[in-house]
Amino acid sequence: MNKRQKRTLIRIFLSAAMLILAALLPLSGVLRLLVFLVPYAVIGWDVLWRALRNIAHGQVFDENFLMALATVGALGIGEYPEAVFVMLFYQVGELFQSYSVGKSRQSISSLMDIRPDFANIEKDGQLEEVDPEDVAVGDMIVIKPGEWVPLDGVVLEGTSSLDTAALTGESLPREIDPGDDVVSGCVNLSGVLRVQVTKPYGESTVARILDLVENSSAKKAKAEQFITKFARYYTPIVVLAAAALAIFPPLTLGWPWKEALERALSFLVVSCPCALVISVPLAFFGGIGGASRDGILVKGGNYLEVLARTEIVVFDKTGTLTKGVFNVTAIHPDRCPESELLELAALAECYSDHPISRSLKEAYGKEIDTSRVSQVEELSGRGVQAMVDGKKVCAGNDKLMDSLGAKWHPCHHVGTTIHIAVDGIYAGHIVISDELKPDAKQAILALKACGVNRTVMLTGDAQNVAESVAAELGLDEVHAGLLPAGKVEQVESLLQQVSPRGKLAFVGDGINDAPVLSRADLGIAMGAFGSDAAIEAADVVLMDDNPSKIADAIAIARHTLRIAGQNIAFALTVKVLVLVLSALGKTNMWVAVFADVGVSVLAILNAMRALKRL
Ligand code: ADP
Ligand code: MG
């Protein structure tokens, strides 16, 4: 509980005690009014103050106004204890609400805990703690066991294991050796690490994630927008209705004025839309928080809505369904030794971050002398082209070879074939093969189980490779040999085929699929470890590499939407019921307050369920 909440709690107790005392005192007339005014002021001054201030700003109708009007009205007709009691309970509800908002914010901020406080810099053999924002790229930092990794970098010295749970929800630690990348937001578990910083704090994984989470509540779901709009029209209508209730029955039906006023006032008390206004956004907030605990970052409540209605899931292949770590299975040069072909390929690929490039460099295994390479050009979906030792080397697929006019020939090995041409003349090929991610099959099954009726894979790789992957995973559809633009076209034609309420999600690793990520109804990027493009382009970011998180995300989204729906239905039903009863004079102010606060509390408790892990 924070200070303000504690103060409210004290005010609640104080005014409750004074209310009881005032009720026991045998007073009458003005003296009685004065005695009740004290607890009323103690508990309600801020509500009155906000109502007045809003009126001064021209924004008359909100819940403060409703409460002020109802209680001042009650005082006016001599119902002093009721007035204090209404205010008292309203504040209890508010307290409850602010407490639970704080709670769900806290769980999102268990993520916020990843904000690093310091980084250790070595100076003259001494460690010095500095602000991570003051560390420059290229600086060396030391991370001791038990400390958070404050910045992204590459390990120069030391081995350790990292706890990535705060980022991914994954409980298994990750083993780290020299040369490995580390990202901020993990906890160093065992060894001392010396790390060279590769990104300034502002661009580090932690800073991006915090940014993303902090901004996620700005993107409202339709249900939240509905509630905001609803409250805007609803409140003035209710005030008018209450006025009508107070004025017309006495004039036309001859009701006593006091009774009509009483009804109108309890009508006002019940009408406060607090439960609705708070519990729906709170449910979405909880959903986003709960998902983030699982390593699923959702950039806004609106995306939870889209997730819940996902009908077609389209996957990129490399790095999404497969590991994107290729093993070289064959090297078939046409006119040079095997080692030379591999060297040419590795050199040409030296600047690329594509999984294929990384694997070829890995297979080459030696330090790359980049001074031998110039004029590097990446040809998305086809390969790379570069000047190596003064010769133009192209490495890529058959499309690239065709465009050069190089006479390539297919390979009998199954796998992704990287053809290489030197100065436009075919030099041979390297066959590499990728492995499926261990949970890829499970991911597709889980999607089917939750009612996603079509799974599609798009890839730039060759047909035979694509088909063998699709068959093994049980995908419904596969399109191979696509350039990035071709993937966009496929997604566009699939978008035509979803049902009117259904949605299409595209899942990629963020490497050359940003256009598709943004074209789909929902872009899901995975493996935020390392890939910046992913965090930027996507609507949902899976912190780790497991495609099975997609079905989890859908389940969380549906759970959240169900809760928001229950809250709307429940709050509206009770409200309408009590409104009608109070208009008919079947209730009094006491019941009205209980109904209002009760609904709020139940709706809030229900909303908190969205935070739970499924
Ligand atoms: P995917 O659709 O599976 O993610 P990409 O669109 O990234 O694959 O690439 C499609 C194909 O283009 C690859 O299978 C490969 O043949 C070729 N290719 C792409 N980038 C490179 C590269 N850097 N080096 C060699 N070949 C590449
Ligand atoms: Mg790709």
PDB file of all heavy atoms in Angstrom, residues 316-319 349 352 354 356-357 360 378-384 395-397 416-418 458-462 482-484 487 509 511-513, ligand 1:
ATOM      1  N   ASP A 316       6.760 -18.046 -40.941  1.00  0.00           N
ATOM      2  CA  ASP A 316       7.971 -18.022 -41.720  1.00  0.00           C
ATOM      3  C   ASP A 316       8.700 -19.322 -41.354  1.00  0.00           C
ATOM      4  O   ASP A 316       8.454 -19.883 -40.299  1.00  0.00           O
ATOM      5  CB  ASP A 316       8.791 -16.803 -41.281  1.00  0.00           C
ATOM      6  CG  ASP A 316      10.003 -16.581 -42.142  1.00  0.00           C
ATOM      7  OD1 ASP A 316       9.892 -16.781 -43.358  1.00  0.00           O
ATOM      8  OD2 ASP A 316      11.049 -16.207 -41.585  1.00  0.00           O
ATOM      9  N   LYS A 317       9.555 -19.812 -42.242  1.00  0.00           N
ATOM     10  CA  LYS A 317      10.189 -21.080 -41.887  1.00  0.00           C
ATOM     11  C   LYS A 317      11.465 -20.900 -41.065  1.00  0.00           C
ATOM     12  O   LYS A 317      11.525 -21.274 -39.887  1.00  0.00           O
ATOM     13  CB  LYS A 317      10.526 -21.898 -43.146  1.00  0.00           C
ATOM     14  CG  LYS A 317      11.255 -23.210 -42.820  1.00  0.00           C
ATOM     15  CD  LYS A 317      11.582 -24.017 -44.045  1.00  0.00           C
ATOM     16  CE  LYS A 317      12.736 -23.456 -44.834  1.00  0.00           C
ATOM     17  NZ  LYS A 317      14.049 -23.878 -44.375  1.00  0.00           N
ATOM     18  N   THR A 318      12.463 -20.302 -41.734  1.00  0.00           N
ATOM     19  CA  THR A 318      13.785 -20.293 -41.124  1.00  0.00           C
ATOM     20  C   THR A 318      13.822 -19.442 -39.861  1.00  0.00           C
ATOM     21  O   THR A 318      13.452 -18.275 -39.886  1.00  0.00           O
ATOM     22  CB  THR A 318      14.820 -19.762 -42.141  1.00  0.00           C
ATOM     23  OG1 THR A 318      14.590 -20.439 -43.366  1.00  0.00           O
ATOM     24  CG2 THR A 318      16.228 -19.995 -41.658  1.00  0.00           C
ATOM     25  N   GLY A 319      14.241 -20.026 -38.776  1.00  0.00           N
ATOM     26  CA  GLY A 319      14.365 -19.272 -37.530  1.00  0.00           C
ATOM     27  C   GLY A 319      13.055 -19.185 -36.766  1.00  0.00           C
ATOM     28  O   GLY A 319      13.024 -18.711 -35.642  1.00  0.00           O
ATOM     29  N   GLU A 349      29.582 -13.662 -47.257  1.00  0.00           N
ATOM     30  CA  GLU A 349      28.492 -13.539 -46.277  1.00  0.00           C
ATOM     31  C   GLU A 349      28.917 -12.756 -45.039  1.00  0.00           C
ATOM     32  O   GLU A 349      28.152 -12.658 -44.073  1.00  0.00           O
ATOM     33  CB  GLU A 349      28.042 -14.933 -45.797  1.00  0.00           C
ATOM     34  CG  GLU A 349      27.540 -15.865 -46.877  1.00  0.00           C
ATOM     35  CD  GLU A 349      26.037 -15.759 -47.087  1.00  0.00           C
ATOM     36  OE1 GLU A 349      25.438 -14.815 -46.537  1.00  0.00           O
ATOM     37  OE2 GLU A 349      25.485 -16.606 -47.797  1.00  0.00           O
ATOM     38  N   SER A 352      26.524 -10.275 -43.314  1.00  0.00           N
ATOM     39  CA  SER A 352      25.090 -10.567 -43.196  1.00  0.00           C
ATOM     40  C   SER A 352      24.752 -11.205 -41.849  1.00  0.00           C
ATOM     41  O   SER A 352      25.566 -11.912 -41.260  1.00  0.00           O
ATOM     42  CB  SER A 352      24.656 -11.479 -44.339  1.00  0.00           C
ATOM     43  OG  SER A 352      23.350 -11.942 -44.091  1.00  0.00           O
ATOM     44  N   HIS A 354      21.860 -12.983 -41.610  1.00  0.00           N
ATOM     45  CA  HIS A 354      20.904 -14.038 -41.931  1.00  0.00           C
ATOM     46  C   HIS A 354      21.368 -15.350 -41.295  1.00  0.00           C
ATOM     47  O   HIS A 354      22.567 -15.616 -41.240  1.00  0.00           O
ATOM     48  CB  HIS A 354      20.812 -14.173 -43.448  1.00  0.00           C
ATOM     49  CG  HIS A 354      19.614 -14.953 -43.912  1.00  0.00           C
ATOM     50  ND1 HIS A 354      19.600 -16.319 -43.910  1.00  0.00           N
ATOM     51  CD2 HIS A 354      18.407 -14.548 -44.367  1.00  0.00           C
ATOM     52  CE1 HIS A 354      18.415 -16.730 -44.361  1.00  0.00           C
ATOM     53  NE2 HIS A 354      17.674 -15.669 -44.647  1.00  0.00           N
ATOM     54  N   ILE A 356      21.518 -18.226 -42.412  1.00  0.00           N
ATOM     55  CA  ILE A 356      22.377 -18.968 -43.345  1.00  0.00           C
ATOM     56  C   ILE A 356      23.801 -18.432 -43.290  1.00  0.00           C
ATOM     57  O   ILE A 356      24.778 -19.192 -43.223  1.00  0.00           O
ATOM     58  CB  ILE A 356      21.821 -18.873 -44.787  1.00  0.00           C
ATOM     59  CG1 ILE A 356      20.490 -19.630 -44.867  1.00  0.00           C
ATOM     60  CG2 ILE A 356      22.830 -19.373 -45.812  1.00  0.00           C
ATOM     61  CD1 ILE A 356      19.862 -19.637 -46.236  1.00  0.00           C
ATOM     62  N   SER A 357      23.917 -17.112 -43.267  1.00  0.00           N
ATOM     63  CA  SER A 357      25.248 -16.501 -43.228  1.00  0.00           C
ATOM     64  C   SER A 357      25.975 -16.885 -41.954  1.00  0.00           C
ATOM     65  O   SER A 357      27.146 -17.256 -41.968  1.00  0.00           O
ATOM     66  CB  SER A 357      25.132 -14.982 -43.277  1.00  0.00           C
ATOM     67  OG  SER A 357      24.256 -14.601 -44.282  1.00  0.00           O
ATOM     68  N   LEU A 360      27.203 -20.437 -42.195  1.00  0.00           N
ATOM     69  CA  LEU A 360      28.343 -20.638 -43.093  1.00  0.00           C
ATOM     70  C   LEU A 360      29.630 -20.121 -42.448  1.00  0.00           C
ATOM     71  O   LEU A 360      30.687 -20.747 -42.533  1.00  0.00           O
ATOM     72  CB  LEU A 360      28.105 -19.935 -44.437  1.00  0.00           C
ATOM     73  CG  LEU A 360      27.082 -20.620 -45.355  1.00  0.00           C
ATOM     74  CD1 LEU A 360      26.832 -19.801 -46.602  1.00  0.00           C
ATOM     75  CD2 LEU A 360      27.550 -22.029 -45.736  1.00  0.00           C
ATOM     76  N   GLU A 378      23.119  -7.322 -49.905  1.00  0.00           N
ATOM     77  CA  GLU A 378      22.227  -8.436 -49.563  1.00  0.00           C
ATOM     78  C   GLU A 378      21.041  -8.419 -50.491  1.00  0.00           C
ATOM     79  O   GLU A 378      20.423  -7.379 -50.696  1.00  0.00           O
ATOM     80  CB  GLU A 378      21.740  -8.303 -48.120  1.00  0.00           C
ATOM     81  CG  GLU A 378      22.666  -8.990 -47.163  1.00  0.00           C
ATOM     82  CD  GLU A 378      21.966  -9.506 -45.917  1.00  0.00           C
ATOM     83  OE1 GLU A 378      21.209 -10.500 -46.016  1.00  0.00           O
ATOM     84  OE2 GLU A 378      22.211  -8.919 -44.873  1.00  0.00           O
ATOM     85  N   LEU A 379      20.732  -9.551 -51.072  1.00  0.00           N
ATOM     86  CA  LEU A 379      19.592  -9.635 -51.973  1.00  0.00           C
ATOM     87  C   LEU A 379      18.541 -10.452 -51.244  1.00  0.00           C
ATOM     88  O   LEU A 379      18.605 -11.676 -51.215  1.00  0.00           O
ATOM     89  CB  LEU A 379      20.014 -10.303 -53.290  1.00  0.00           C
ATOM     90  CG  LEU A 379      21.285  -9.675 -53.879  1.00  0.00           C
ATOM     91  CD1 LEU A 379      21.968 -10.622 -54.842  1.00  0.00           C
ATOM     92  CD2 LEU A 379      20.965  -8.359 -54.556  1.00  0.00           C
ATOM     93  N   SER A 380      17.606  -9.735 -50.650  1.00  0.00           N
ATOM     94  CA  SER A 380      16.630 -10.362 -49.773  1.00  0.00           C
ATOM     95  C   SER A 380      15.917 -11.539 -50.435  1.00  0.00           C
ATOM     96  O   SER A 380      15.440 -11.421 -51.559  1.00  0.00           O
ATOM     97  CB  SER A 380      15.599  -9.309 -49.372  1.00  0.00           C
ATOM     98  OG  SER A 380      15.280  -9.472 -48.040  1.00  0.00           O
ATOM     99  N   GLY A 381      15.896 -12.673 -49.743  1.00  0.00           N
ATOM    100  CA  GLY A 381      15.199 -13.843 -50.283  1.00  0.00           C
ATOM    101  C   GLY A 381      15.967 -14.562 -51.373  1.00  0.00           C
ATOM    102  O   GLY A 381      15.490 -15.550 -51.931  1.00  0.00           O
ATOM    103  N   ARG A 382      17.152 -14.075 -51.727  1.00  0.00           N
ATOM    104  CA  ARG A 382      17.930 -14.734 -52.776  1.00  0.00           C
ATOM    105  C   ARG A 382      19.360 -15.053 -52.351  1.00  0.00           C
ATOM    106  O   ARG A 382      19.870 -16.119 -52.628  1.00  0.00           O
ATOM    107  CB  ARG A 382      17.953 -13.870 -54.042  1.00  0.00           C
ATOM    108  CG  ARG A 382      16.582 -13.849 -54.733  1.00  0.00           C
ATOM    109  CD  ARG A 382      16.640 -13.148 -56.060  1.00  0.00           C
ATOM    110  NE  ARG A 382      17.039 -11.750 -55.867  1.00  0.00           N
ATOM    111  CZ  ARG A 382      17.456 -10.962 -56.851  1.00  0.00           C
ATOM    112  NH1 ARG A 382      17.568 -11.434 -58.080  1.00  0.00           N
ATOM    113  NH2 ARG A 382      17.776  -9.719 -56.612  1.00  0.00           N
ATOM    114  N   GLY A 383      20.008 -14.132 -51.660  1.00  0.00           N
ATOM    115  CA  GLY A 383      21.374 -14.409 -51.237  1.00  0.00           C
ATOM    116  C   GLY A 383      22.180 -13.141 -51.051  1.00  0.00           C
ATOM    117  O   GLY A 383      21.620 -12.098 -50.710  1.00  0.00           O
ATOM    118  N   VAL A 384      23.480 -13.246 -51.270  1.00  0.00           N
ATOM    119  CA  VAL A 384      24.339 -12.061 -51.145  1.00  0.00           C
ATOM    120  C   VAL A 384      25.277 -11.973 -52.350  1.00  0.00           C
ATOM    121  O   VAL A 384      25.503 -12.949 -53.063  1.00  0.00           O
ATOM    122  CB  VAL A 384      25.217 -12.103 -49.864  1.00  0.00           C
ATOM    123  CG1 VAL A 384      24.368 -11.991 -48.624  1.00  0.00           C
ATOM    124  CG2 VAL A 384      26.064 -13.360 -49.836  1.00  0.00           C
ATOM    125  N   ALA A 395      26.488 -15.658 -53.676  1.00  0.00           N
ATOM    126  CA  ALA A 395      26.093 -16.884 -52.983  1.00  0.00           C
ATOM    127  C   ALA A 395      24.609 -16.800 -52.686  1.00  0.00           C
ATOM    128  O   ALA A 395      24.148 -15.811 -52.130  1.00  0.00           O
ATOM    129  CB  ALA A 395      26.882 -17.034 -51.684  1.00  0.00           C
ATOM    130  N   GLY A 396      23.875 -17.822 -53.120  1.00  0.00           N
ATOM    131  CA  GLY A 396      22.435 -17.768 -52.875  1.00  0.00           C
ATOM    132  C   GLY A 396      21.703 -18.910 -53.536  1.00  0.00           C
ATOM    133  O   GLY A 396      22.297 -19.949 -53.828  1.00  0.00           O
ATOM    134  N   ASN A 397      20.431 -18.713 -53.806  1.00  0.00           N
ATOM    135  CA  ASN A 397      19.631 -19.810 -54.351  1.00  0.00           C
ATOM    136  C   ASN A 397      19.587 -19.809 -55.884  1.00  0.00           C
ATOM    137  O   ASN A 397      20.241 -18.989 -56.536  1.00  0.00           O
ATOM    138  CB  ASN A 397      18.233 -19.809 -53.740  1.00  0.00           C
ATOM    139  CG  ASN A 397      17.539 -18.464 -53.884  1.00  0.00           C
ATOM    140  OD1 ASN A 397      17.991 -17.621 -54.670  1.00  0.00           O
ATOM    141  ND2 ASN A 397      16.470 -18.277 -53.147  1.00  0.00           N
ATOM    142  N   THR A 416      18.895 -27.222 -47.940  1.00  0.00           N
ATOM    143  CA  THR A 416      18.945 -25.906 -48.569  1.00  0.00           C
ATOM    144  C   THR A 416      20.267 -25.797 -49.321  1.00  0.00           C
ATOM    145  O   THR A 416      21.331 -26.001 -48.746  1.00  0.00           O
ATOM    146  CB  THR A 416      18.850 -24.825 -47.488  1.00  0.00           C
ATOM    147  OG1 THR A 416      17.672 -25.059 -46.724  1.00  0.00           O
ATOM    148  CG2 THR A 416      18.809 -23.448 -48.096  1.00  0.00           C
ATOM    149  N   THR A 417      20.178 -25.533 -50.607  1.00  0.00           N
ATOM    150  CA  THR A 417      21.381 -25.494 -51.425  1.00  0.00           C
ATOM    151  C   THR A 417      21.818 -24.052 -51.650  1.00  0.00           C
ATOM    152  O   THR A 417      21.030 -23.231 -52.111  1.00  0.00           O
ATOM    153  CB  THR A 417      21.124 -26.160 -52.788  1.00  0.00           C
ATOM    154  OG1 THR A 417      20.502 -27.425 -52.552  1.00  0.00           O
ATOM    155  CG2 THR A 417      22.416 -26.376 -53.539  1.00  0.00           C
ATOM    156  N   ILE A 418      23.042 -23.754 -51.270  1.00  0.00           N
ATOM    157  CA  ILE A 418      23.595 -22.424 -51.523  1.00  0.00           C
ATOM    158  C   ILE A 418      24.546 -22.538 -52.704  1.00  0.00           C
ATOM    159  O   ILE A 418      25.606 -23.156 -52.617  1.00  0.00           O
ATOM    160  CB  ILE A 418      24.373 -21.895 -50.299  1.00  0.00           C
ATOM    161  CG1 ILE A 418      23.527 -22.006 -49.030  1.00  0.00           C
ATOM    162  CG2 ILE A 418      24.844 -20.465 -50.534  1.00  0.00           C
ATOM    163  CD1 ILE A 418      22.250 -21.226 -49.052  1.00  0.00           C
ATOM    164  N   LEU A 458       5.278 -19.995 -45.098  1.00  0.00           N
ATOM    165  CA  LEU A 458       5.817 -19.299 -46.255  1.00  0.00           C
ATOM    166  C   LEU A 458       7.330 -19.342 -46.138  1.00  0.00           C
ATOM    167  O   LEU A 458       7.873 -19.119 -45.072  1.00  0.00           O
ATOM    168  CB  LEU A 458       5.366 -17.843 -46.263  1.00  0.00           C
ATOM    169  CG  LEU A 458       3.866 -17.569 -46.229  1.00  0.00           C
ATOM    170  CD1 LEU A 458       3.615 -16.069 -46.262  1.00  0.00           C
ATOM    171  CD2 LEU A 458       3.171 -18.247 -47.407  1.00  0.00           C
ATOM    172  N   THR A 459       7.996 -19.610 -47.261  1.00  0.00           N
ATOM    173  CA  THR A 459       9.452 -19.628 -47.177  1.00  0.00           C
ATOM    174  C   THR A 459      10.091 -19.267 -48.508  1.00  0.00           C
ATOM    175  O   THR A 459       9.491 -19.425 -49.568  1.00  0.00           O
ATOM    176  CB  THR A 459       9.976 -21.005 -46.715  1.00  0.00           C
ATOM    177  OG1 THR A 459      11.400 -20.981 -46.732  1.00  0.00           O
ATOM    178  CG2 THR A 459       9.486 -22.116 -47.607  1.00  0.00           C
ATOM    179  N   GLY A 460      11.297 -18.749 -48.406  1.00  0.00           N
ATOM    180  CA  GLY A 460      12.059 -18.443 -49.602  1.00  0.00           C
ATOM    181  C   GLY A 460      12.888 -19.653 -50.025  1.00  0.00           C
ATOM    182  O   GLY A 460      13.546 -19.651 -51.060  1.00  0.00           O
ATOM    183  N   ASP A 461      12.835 -20.673 -49.200  1.00  0.00           N
ATOM    184  CA  ASP A 461      13.642 -21.858 -49.469  1.00  0.00           C
ATOM    185  C   ASP A 461      12.992 -22.704 -50.569  1.00  0.00           C
ATOM    186  O   ASP A 461      11.877 -22.442 -50.995  1.00  0.00           O
ATOM    187  CB  ASP A 461      13.766 -22.672 -48.177  1.00  0.00           C
ATOM    188  CG  ASP A 461      15.067 -23.460 -48.132  1.00  0.00           C
ATOM    189  OD1 ASP A 461      15.684 -23.625 -49.203  1.00  0.00           O
ATOM    190  OD2 ASP A 461      15.441 -23.919 -47.046  1.00  0.00           O
ATOM    191  N   ALA A 462      13.720 -23.741 -51.009  1.00  0.00           N
ATOM    192  CA  ALA A 462      13.251 -24.565 -52.123  1.00  0.00           C
ATOM    193  C   ALA A 462      12.046 -25.423 -51.724  1.00  0.00           C
ATOM    194  O   ALA A 462      11.856 -25.748 -50.554  1.00  0.00           O
ATOM    195  CB  ALA A 462      14.383 -25.462 -52.600  1.00  0.00           C
ATOM    196  N   LEU A 482       9.596 -18.117 -52.227  1.00  0.00           N
ATOM    197  CA  LEU A 482       9.034 -16.766 -52.224  1.00  0.00           C
ATOM    198  C   LEU A 482      10.090 -15.711 -51.902  1.00  0.00           C
ATOM    199  O   LEU A 482      10.922 -15.897 -51.017  1.00  0.00           O
ATOM    200  CB  LEU A 482       7.929 -16.666 -51.178  1.00  0.00           C
ATOM    201  CG  LEU A 482       6.706 -17.562 -51.375  1.00  0.00           C
ATOM    202  CD1 LEU A 482       5.823 -17.492 -50.137  1.00  0.00           C
ATOM    203  CD2 LEU A 482       5.936 -17.126 -52.616  1.00  0.00           C
ATOM    204  N   LEU A 483      10.047 -14.598 -52.590  1.00  0.00           N
ATOM    205  CA  LEU A 483      10.819 -13.426 -52.201  1.00  0.00           C
ATOM    206  C   LEU A 483       9.986 -12.702 -51.131  1.00  0.00           C
ATOM    207  O   LEU A 483       8.792 -12.960 -51.007  1.00  0.00           O
ATOM    208  CB  LEU A 483      11.028 -12.521 -53.408  1.00  0.00           C
ATOM    209  CG  LEU A 483      11.871 -13.130 -54.526  1.00  0.00           C
ATOM    210  CD1 LEU A 483      11.940 -12.184 -55.705  1.00  0.00           C
ATOM    211  CD2 LEU A 483      13.261 -13.441 -54.022  1.00  0.00           C
ATOM    212  N   PRO A 484      10.612 -11.788 -50.365  1.00  0.00           N
ATOM    213  CA  PRO A 484       9.836 -11.075 -49.346  1.00  0.00           C
ATOM    214  C   PRO A 484       8.542 -10.471 -49.906  1.00  0.00           C
ATOM    215  O   PRO A 484       7.485 -10.537 -49.264  1.00  0.00           O
ATOM    216  CB  PRO A 484      10.803  -9.995 -48.874  1.00  0.00           C
ATOM    217  CG  PRO A 484      12.138 -10.627 -49.034  1.00  0.00           C
ATOM    218  CD  PRO A 484      12.044 -11.477 -50.274  1.00  0.00           C
ATOM    219  N   LYS A 487       5.906 -13.047 -50.185  1.00  0.00           N
ATOM    220  CA  LYS A 487       5.291 -13.402 -48.899  1.00  0.00           C
ATOM    221  C   LYS A 487       4.164 -12.420 -48.584  1.00  0.00           C
ATOM    222  O   LYS A 487       3.105 -12.813 -48.102  1.00  0.00           O
ATOM    223  CB  LYS A 487       6.336 -13.366 -47.778  1.00  0.00           C
ATOM    224  CG  LYS A 487       7.385 -14.468 -47.889  1.00  0.00           C
ATOM    225  CD  LYS A 487       8.318 -14.460 -46.681  1.00  0.00           C
ATOM    226  CE  LYS A 487       9.441 -15.467 -46.865  1.00  0.00           C
ATOM    227  NZ  LYS A 487      10.444 -15.395 -45.791  1.00  0.00           N
ATOM    228  N   ASP A 509      10.747 -14.233 -37.552  1.00  0.00           N
ATOM    229  CA  ASP A 509      11.850 -13.957 -36.632  1.00  0.00           C
ATOM    230  C   ASP A 509      12.361 -12.529 -36.808  1.00  0.00           C
ATOM    231  O   ASP A 509      13.330 -12.136 -36.179  1.00  0.00           O
ATOM    232  CB  ASP A 509      12.988 -14.960 -36.817  1.00  0.00           C
ATOM    233  CG  ASP A 509      13.561 -14.943 -38.221  1.00  0.00           C
ATOM    234  OD1 ASP A 509      13.046 -14.179 -39.063  1.00  0.00           O
ATOM    235  OD2 ASP A 509      14.520 -15.688 -38.480  1.00  0.00           O
ATOM    236  N   ILE A 511      13.786 -11.200 -39.268  1.00  0.00           N
ATOM    237  CA  ILE A 511      14.850 -11.007 -40.257  1.00  0.00           C
ATOM    238  C   ILE A 511      14.214 -11.023 -41.636  1.00  0.00           C
ATOM    239  O   ILE A 511      13.597 -12.010 -42.029  1.00  0.00           O
ATOM    240  CB  ILE A 511      15.936 -12.097 -40.114  1.00  0.00           C
ATOM    241  CG1 ILE A 511      16.653 -11.885 -38.794  1.00  0.00           C
ATOM    242  CG2 ILE A 511      16.914 -12.038 -41.276  1.00  0.00           C
ATOM    243  CD1 ILE A 511      17.713 -12.895 -38.486  1.00  0.00           C
ATOM    244  N   ASN A 512      14.319  -9.946 -42.338  1.00  0.00           N
ATOM    245  CA  ASN A 512      13.702  -9.668 -43.632  1.00  0.00           C
ATOM    246  C   ASN A 512      12.217 -10.019 -43.735  1.00  0.00           C
ATOM    247  O   ASN A 512      11.691 -10.181 -44.821  1.00  0.00           O
ATOM    248  CB  ASN A 512      14.532 -10.245 -44.802  1.00  0.00           C
ATOM    249  CG  ASN A 512      14.402 -11.764 -45.013  1.00  0.00           C
ATOM    250  OD1 ASN A 512      13.351 -12.354 -44.738  1.00  0.00           O
ATOM    251  ND2 ASN A 512      15.451 -12.377 -45.489  1.00  0.00           N
ATOM    252  N   ASP A 513      11.486 -10.078 -42.632  1.00  0.00           N
ATOM    253  CA  ASP A 513      10.042 -10.226 -42.807  1.00  0.00           C
ATOM    254  C   ASP A 513       9.224  -9.107 -42.167  1.00  0.00           C
ATOM    255  O   ASP A 513       8.027  -9.245 -41.970  1.00  0.00           O
ATOM    256  CB  ASP A 513       9.531 -11.611 -42.397  1.00  0.00           C
ATOM    257  CG  ASP A 513      10.109 -12.072 -41.078  1.00  0.00           C
ATOM    258  OD1 ASP A 513      10.496 -11.195 -40.292  1.00  0.00           O
ATOM    259  OD2 ASP A 513      10.167 -13.285 -40.844  1.00  0.00           O
TER     260      ASP A 513
HETATM  261  P1  ADP B   1      12.785 -17.971 -45.106  1.00  0.00           P
HETATM  262  O1  ADP B   1      11.593 -17.612 -45.915  1.00  0.00           O
HETATM  263  O2  ADP B   1      12.853 -19.455 -44.909  1.00  0.00           O
HETATM  264  O3  ADP B   1      12.896 -17.230 -43.828  1.00  0.00           O
HETATM  265  P2  ADP B   1      14.565 -16.194 -46.595  1.00  0.00           P
HETATM  266  O4  ADP B   1      13.473 -15.472 -47.302  1.00  0.00           O
HETATM  267  O5  ADP B   1      15.335 -15.452 -45.587  1.00  0.00           O
HETATM  268  O6  ADP B   1      14.077 -17.588 -45.980  1.00  0.00           O
HETATM  269  O7  ADP B   1      15.577 -16.745 -47.690  1.00  0.00           O
HETATM  270  C1  ADP B   1      15.109 -17.520 -48.759  1.00  0.00           C
HETATM  271  C2  ADP B   1      16.211 -18.215 -49.504  1.00  0.00           C
HETATM  272  O8  ADP B   1      17.094 -17.249 -50.088  1.00  0.00           O
HETATM  273  C3  ADP B   1      17.078 -19.076 -48.640  1.00  0.00           C
HETATM  274  O9  ADP B   1      16.565 -20.385 -48.509  1.00  0.00           O
HETATM  275  C4  ADP B   1      18.395 -19.064 -49.397  1.00  0.00           C
HETATM  276  O10 ADP B   1      18.360 -20.010 -50.455  1.00  0.00           O
HETATM  277  C5  ADP B   1      18.438 -17.679 -49.990  1.00  0.00           C
HETATM  278  N1  ADP B   1      19.161 -16.751 -49.130  1.00  0.00           N
HETATM  279  C6  ADP B   1      18.639 -15.751 -48.397  1.00  0.00           C
HETATM  280  N2  ADP B   1      19.588 -15.086 -47.742  1.00  0.00           N
HETATM  281  C7  ADP B   1      20.753 -15.699 -48.022  1.00  0.00           C
HETATM  282  C8  ADP B   1      22.104 -15.496 -47.639  1.00  0.00           C
HETATM  283  N3  ADP B   1      22.474 -14.527 -46.801  1.00  0.00           N
HETATM  284  N4  ADP B   1      23.033 -16.348 -48.155  1.00  0.00           N
HETATM  285  C9  ADP B   1      22.689 -17.326 -48.974  1.00  0.00           C
HETATM  286  N5  ADP B   1      21.454 -17.569 -49.379  1.00  0.00           N
HETATM  287  C10 ADP B   1      20.480 -16.782 -48.920  1.00  0.00           C
END
